[in-house]
Amino acid sequence: MEVKIARTAGFCWGVRRTVDKVMEVADQRPGAVVTLGPIIHNPQAVARFEVETAQARGLEVVDGTCPYVKYPQAMAQRLSREGYHVVIVGDANHAEIKGVVSYAEGPCTVVKPGGPIPEIQAKKVAVIAQTTCIGADFERVVGALAVRHKEVRAVNTICNDTEERQADARALAREVDAVVVVGGKNSANTRHLAEICRAIQPLTWHVETEAELQAAWFAGCRTVGISAGASTPDWVVEGVADWLGRR
Amino acid sequence: MEVKIARTAGFCWGVRRTVDKVMEVADQRPGAVVTLGPIIHNPQAVARFEVETAQARGLEVVDGTCPYVKYPQAMAQRLSREGYHVVIVGDANHAEIKGVVSYAEGPCTVVKPGGPIPEIQAKKVAVIAQTTCIGADFERVVGALAVRHKEVRAVNTICNDTEERQADARALAREVDAVVVVGGKNSANTRHLAEICRAIQPLTWHVETEAELQAAWFAGCRTVGISAGASTPDWVVEGVADWLGRR
């Protein structure tokens, strides 16, 4: 089969940066290197106390948090200090949002994308977004709050990677006979990519590695597209591409 | 006919305040009292230079601008000083907006409600509204800009009077056999009220005074509703109500 890999498949800028940092630390520092949870979905802010404990014990702490993920944390802190009620458009159960919430030093409300917008008693409201928030969801919440409150300050903390990756996956799904989306079954962004591709090309498969692939899935297919989540390493994507290229 | 007058027909808070002020000045000050244009649609900011000339000549100047109209002017000045590109949702040809624009000390764009939102080259955008702007129009512009720019600061400068007045007119139009909307033919808010009522009750008439009313218009009507623009004096509304009550 001819294999087409989406331009933006695999590691986003921030993930690559963090993984490189861990590799560098492991190469240069003597002794054990430990990450606080899986490095990619690491809720840096939530783990702050653990980090502090580690520092108190004299351990060296390397902060690998993506700057795009740190930005809404800094904004939550700054805007709540300036007297704004902080509204975060995102998933309250996601580690990233737990981190952002932990930085707010005043009232803070998490609004689920597509969900109801609760009544908030505040004159000044600041709105920030999960880095993976879809633009339309942020737009809806900011607009609705702008007519309810005296002042709304919206800081666009969305990372373009998600939308670009989804746009690329959508374009790819339109031009192939089947799609393979590579990435963790527990990765929300990978699952979302698979949903997007499946809506266009019903012959879409979500796998973690090539070990799951079955030749029968691709009967009659001449071209197959590959997309991958932001936390999927290149070597996993390449393993899948090799397997498909040999069919 | 039974005559029902909309709760919010006639002078809004700001117009009443300004008209009272002129009356007070006329009563207390010796000599001539002159207004800079019709006191109600007076573009205070645009006339600033004329005011300054008047002051230089030793004339006493009384500022009767509605505080709700002054507020977006002050915001345009403050936010442009803070480095925001100022966006005003409103009618660029309206005196109020000409006034607000004159206070911006940096780049400023007027976006027509319902119209296209031009591309703006700016990281920080502040959005304010014409006091008579409809909430949904402000919501749309703020939302759209929030995803385009790094920071959007929306200050809700909408005066509730317009929406309350329109909601009352809408409710009234639903329960009567005909509607009379009283106010200047050149008054945008009165014309808009007439449009709203006509969409619900086709038997809607827009008049400036009872002199225009014709008995034939109300043949077979048992109830008639009255709505009036924010700049329509009570005595004009009462003249219309008296005429209709005698039919």
Side-chain angles (χ1 to χ4, degrees), chain A residues 71 84 135-136 138-140 142-144 146-156 158, chain B residues 71 84 135-136 138-140 142-144 146-156 158:
Chain A
Y71 181 50
Y84 290 91
F138 188 59
E139 183 173 341
R140 181 185 71 97
V142 173
V147 289
R148 287 195 199 164
H149 300 274
K150 208 66 207 160
E151 185 192 328
V152 168
R153 194 155 169 185
V155 180
N156 186 347
I158 297 173
Chain B
Y71 181 50
Y84 290 90
F138 188 59
E139 183 173 342
R140 181 183 72 96
V142 172
V147 289
R148 286 195 200 164
H149 300 276
K150 208 66 205 159
E151 184 192 328
V152 168
R153 194 157 170 183
V155 180
N156 185 347
I158 296 173

Side-chain angles (χ1 to χ4, degrees), chain B residues 23-104:
Chain B
M23 294 307 192
E24 193 187 306
V25 170
D27 280 353
Q28 298 174 351
R29 310 290 202 284
V33 173
V34 174
T35 68
L36 286 169
I39 56 164
I40 287 157
H41 289 130
N42 183 0
Q44 190 63 43
V46 172
R48 241 184 329 174
F49 298 114
E50 295 181 60
V51 172
E52 280 158 13
T53 307
Q55 278 171 329
R57 286 183 187 168
L59 302 176
E60 187 190 4
V61 175
V62 176
D63 183 356
T65 313
C66 175
Y68 294 146
V69 171
K70 269 177 179 280
Y71 181 50
Q73 294 172 353
M75 285 296 116
Q77 185 174 53
R78 195 183 108 189
L79 294 164
S80 61
R81 280 183 184 170
E82 289 183 19
Y84 290 90
H85 182 118
V86 173
V87 170
I88 306 162
V89 186
D91 173 5
N93 297 317
H94 193 287
E96 181 190 320
I97 298 309
K98 287 181 183 169
V100 176
V101 168
S102 77
Y103 276 90

Side-chain angles (χ1 to χ4, degrees), chain A residues 16-228:
Chain A
R16 191 175 305 281
R17 176 181 167 281
T18 302
V19 171
D20 286 352
K21 198 169 243 184
V22 172
M23 296 305 194
E24 194 188 305
V25 171
D27 279 352
Q28 297 174 351
R29 309 290 202 284
V33 174
V34 174
T35 68
L36 286 168
I39 55 164
I40 286 157
H41 290 130
N42 183 359
Q44 191 62 44
V46 171
R48 241 185 330 174
F49 299 113
E50 297 181 60
V51 172
E52 281 158 13
T53 306
Q55 277 170 328
R57 288 184 187 167
L59 302 176
E60 186 190 5
V61 176
V62 176
D63 184 355
T65 313
C66 174
Y68 293 146
V69 171
K70 270 180 179 281
Y71 181 50
Q73 295 172 353
M75 285 295 117
Q77 184 172 54
R78 195 182 109 191
L79 294 164
S80 59
R81 280 182 185 173
E82 289 183 19
Y84 290 91
H85 183 118
V86 173
V87 170
I88 306 161
V89 186
D91 174 4
N93 296 318
H94 193 285
E96 182 191 320
I97 297 309
K98 288 181 183 170
V100 175
V101 167
S102 78
Y103 276 90
E105 296 180 2
C108 175
T109 304
V110 180
V111 175
K112 205 179 167 69
I117 304 167
E119 281 299 326
I120 293 167
Q121 296 302 324
K123 264 189 159 178
K124 292 165 65 180
V125 173
V127 196
I128 55 185
Q130 190 163 351
T131 53
T132 51
C133 181
I134 301 303
D137 290 319
F138 188 59
E139 183 173 341
R140 181 185 71 97
V141 175
V142 173
L145 293 173
V147 289
R148 287 195 199 164
H149 300 274
K150 208 66 207 160
E151 185 192 328
V152 168
R153 194 155 169 185
V155 180
N156 186 347
T157 55
I158 297 173
C159 168
N160 289 332
D161 182 85
T162 304
E163 284 200 67
E164 280 180 14
R165 186 181 300 270
Q166 292 177 353
D168 283 350
R170 218 171 262 123
L172 182 69
R174 283 196 196 95
E175 57 178 62
V176 292
D177 301 322
V179 177
V180 176
V181 179
V182 191
K185 294 283 166 71
N186 66 343
S187 156
N189 88 82
T190 308
R191 284 202 309 266
H192 199 184
L193 281 175
E195 283 165 27
I196 287 169
C197 291
R198 195 166 291 124
I200 294 165
Q201 172 50 268
L203 225 58
T204 291
W205 310 94
H206 175 182
V207 299
E208 292 196 345
T209 72
E210 73 273 19
E212 293 168 62
L213 293 169
Q214 296 179 25
W217 294 350
F218 306 96
C221 294
R222 281 184 307 175
T223 57
V224 57
I226 299 178
S227 177

Side-chain angles (χ1 to χ4, degrees), chain B residues 5-243:
Chain B
I5 303 180
R7 188 177 59 85
T8 46
F11 279 5
C12 66
W13 176 85
V15 167
R16 190 175 306 279
R17 177 181 167 280
T18 302
V19 170
D20 286 352
K21 199 168 241 183
V22 172
M23 294 307 192
E24 193 187 306
V25 170
D27 280 353
Q28 298 174 351
R29 310 290 202 284
V33 173
V34 174
T35 68
L36 286 169
I39 56 164
I40 287 157
H41 289 130
N42 183 0
Q44 190 63 43
V46 172
R48 241 184 329 174
F49 298 114
E50 295 181 60
V51 172
E52 280 158 13
T53 307
Q55 278 171 329
R57 286 183 187 168
L59 302 176
E60 187 190 4
V61 175
V62 176
D63 183 356
T65 313
C66 175
Y68 294 146
V69 171
K70 269 177 179 280
Y71 181 50
Q73 294 172 353
M75 285 296 116
Q77 185 174 53
R78 195 183 108 189
L79 294 164
S80 61
R81 280 183 184 170
E82 289 183 19
Y84 290 90
H85 182 118
V86 173
V87 170
I88 306 162
V89 186
D91 173 5
N93 297 317
H94 193 287
E96 181 190 320
I97 298 309
K98 287 181 183 169
V100 176
V101 168
S102 77
Y103 276 90
E105 296 181 2
C108 175
T109 304
V110 180
V111 175
K112 205 179 167 68
I117 304 168
E119 281 300 326
I120 293 166
Q121 295 302 322
K123 264 191 159 177
K124 293 165 64 178
V125 172
V127 195
I128 54 185
Q130 190 163 350
T131 52
T132 51
C133 181
I134 300 303
D137 290 319
F138 188 59
E139 183 173 342
R140 181 183 72 96
V141 175
V142 172
L145 293 172
V147 289
R148 286 195 200 164
H149 300 276
K150 208 66 205 159
E151 184 192 328
V152 168
R153 194 157 170 183
V155 180
N156 185 347
T157 54
I158 296 173
C159 169
N160 289 332
D161 184 84
T162 304
E163 283 199 68
E164 281 180 14
R165 185 182 301 271
Q166 291 177 354
D168 284 349
R170 220 172 260 123
L172 183 69
R174 284 196 195 95
E175 58 176 63
V176 292
D177 301 322
V179 177
V180 175
V181 178
V182 191
K185 296 282 168 69
N186 66 343
S187 155
N189 88 82
T190 309
R191 283 203 311 265
H192 199 183
L193 281 176
E195 281 165 28
I196 286 169
C197 292
R198 195 167 290 122
I200 295 165
Q201 173 50 269
L203 226 59
T204 290
W205 309 94
H206 175 183
V207 299
E208 292 196 346
T209 72
E210 73 272 19
E212 294 168 61
L213 294 170
Q214 296 180 25
W217 292 351
F218 306 97
C221 294
R222 280 184 305 174
T223 55
V224 57
I226 299 178
S227 177
S231 51
T232 310
D234 286 350
W235 60 270
V236 175
V237 176
E238 281 157 20
V240 169
D242 281 352
W243 190 96

